[in-house]
Amino acid sequence: VRSVLSSYEDDEDYTVSPIVDPRLVDELLDTKVREQAILVTDLALVCSDKRSENRPSMRDVVKELTDVKDLVRSTSGSVQ
């Protein structure tokens, strides 16, 4: 987690390219896919906080993931 967090925080353009499987990097050229990856990465990092009181409930995690999915669905017209 520290390695991912370090890579993520050091990225001046706030992209997830350094931590994404290299086979998927080309997909990040799509703005909405990149935004989705950033939102999910943000959520994953919050979920891995050392302090349990800082981590979201599973209900909140499901809501966030649903919101991310809906964001892509509403802007692209298809389900990702």
Side-chain angles (χ1 to χ4, degrees), residues 1-76:
V1 173
R2 286 184 191 151
S3 173
V4 170
L5 184 56
S6 174
S7 295
Y8 197 56
E9 289 175 339
D10 290 343
D11 192 350
E12 294 175 6
D13 295 329
Y14 200 63
T15 66
V16 291
S17 299
I19 60 173
V20 171
D21 183 324
R23 295 173 290 186
L24 302 176
V25 170
D26 287 343
E27 291 184 38
L28 295 177
L29 296 175
D30 179 322
T31 303
K32 289 302 169 188
V33 172
R34 185 173 53 250
E35 183 177 357
Q36 184 180 29
I38 289 169
L39 291 169
V40 171
T41 302
D42 285 343
L43 179 59
L45 291 172
V46 171
C47 288
S48 63
D49 195 295
K50 288 181 182 180
R51 298 179 58 158
S52 61
E53 61 270 12
N54 293 342
R55 295 189 298 256
S57 68
M58 286 308 298
R59 182 181 308 265
D60 291 337
V61 170
V62 170
K63 181 178 181 335
E64 289 292 324
L65 291 173
T66 302
D67 290 349
V68 170
K69 184 177 179 181
D70 290 346
L71 170 73
V72 173
R73 182 182 297 152
S74 69
T75 57
S76 69

